[in-house]
Amino acid sequence: MGELVLNAIQDEYPDDFAWCYGCGRLNEAGHHFRTGWDGEKTVTIYTPKPEHLALPGFVYGGLVASLIDCHGTGSAALFLHRKNGHEPGEGAEPPRFVTASLNVNFMKPTPHGIPLKAVGIVEEIHPKKFKVTTEVYADETLCAKGEVVAVVMPSTFVQKG
C-alpha cells in the first residue's frame, strides 16, 4: 500500500491556510497528510513515524484521530471544489474547511510500521456543511471509523496584517 496521493487538495491551499499540524504543507513539524480522489471516494495515505507509538507495535489513537480529522476537512474541500467545477492541479483556489465535529470509533488496535489508508465518502448536508465518513485501514484491517462534520472556514479565521 505504498501508494502516493497525486493532486492532493492540500497542495492547492493558499500559503495563509497551509499551516495545519495535520495537513499543512508549510508546517515543518506537521504530518503533511495529503487527500485526493480515488474514483468517487477520497483517500489519504500516511505512514506513522517511530514517535507515533502508543506502545511498542501500535499507533497511538491521537494520530488516527488527527488523520480522520484532516482527511474529513480535505475531503469536504475536494467535494466542494469539484462541485464548483474544479479539480486539484488546475490552479483554482479551493475552499478551506474547519471541523465542526469529530467522532472516532476504534475498531482494532492500529499496527505500527504499516501505511494507513483513510477512505472517505462525502455527503452534503448544507451548502456550507459536509459530513465525511472515513474508514482507516492498515493493509486490509479496518482499524478505525470516523465521522467529521466540516464547515466552510469563516472569514473571521483570516488574520489581518
Side-chain angles (χ1 to χ4, degrees):
M1 189 196 316
E3 303 166 49
L4 177 65
V5 175
L6 301 175
N7 297 317
I9 195 71
Q10 292 87 350
D11 296 341
E12 306 292 318
Y13 292 159
D15 289 355
D16 288 349
F17 302 111
W19 293 94
C20 172
Y21 186 79
C23 65
R25 71 180 184 283
L26 299 177
N27 188 329
E28 278 188 38
H31 300 305
H32 303 138
F33 299 139
R34 301 178 78 251
T35 307
W37 287 110
D38 184 11
E40 294 301 310
K41 295 183 179 183
T42 58
V43 65
T44 302
I45 298 168
Y46 184 76
T47 302
K49 296 179 180 167
E51 61 267 24
H52 297 142
L53 291 178
L55 52 106
F58 297 98
V59 175
Y60 93 105
L63 176 74
V64 175
S66 182
L67 175 60
I68 291 170
D69 183 15
C70 286
H71 178 78
T73 57
S75 295
L78 276 169
F79 186 90
L80 184 55
H81 200 47
R82 180 175 275 179
K83 184 179 176 188
N84 291 338
H86 306 289
E87 294 292 334
E90 294 177 347
E93 184 176 314
R96 189 70 168 89
F97 281 77
V98 293
T99 304
S101 69
L102 170 66
N103 181 13
V104 179
N105 293 301
F106 297 96
M107 313 307 290
K108 293 191 176 197
T110 305
H112 196 272
I114 297 173
L116 303 180
K117 184 174 187 177
V119 179
I121 298 172
V122 184
E123 174 187 352
E124 183 172 2
I125 55 179
H126 179 274
K128 292 186 176 186
K129 188 185 279 189
F130 298 81
K131 179 171 69 172
V132 182
T133 54
T134 300
E135 295 181 337
V136 176
Y137 294 88
D139 286 334
E140 301 301 315
T141 301
L142 176 62
C143 298
K145 292 182 180 183
E147 180 182 283
V148 169
V149 174
V151 296
V152 174
M153 181 183 287
S155 61
T156 55
F157 274 47
V158 180
Q159 289 188 1
K160 307 291 183 215

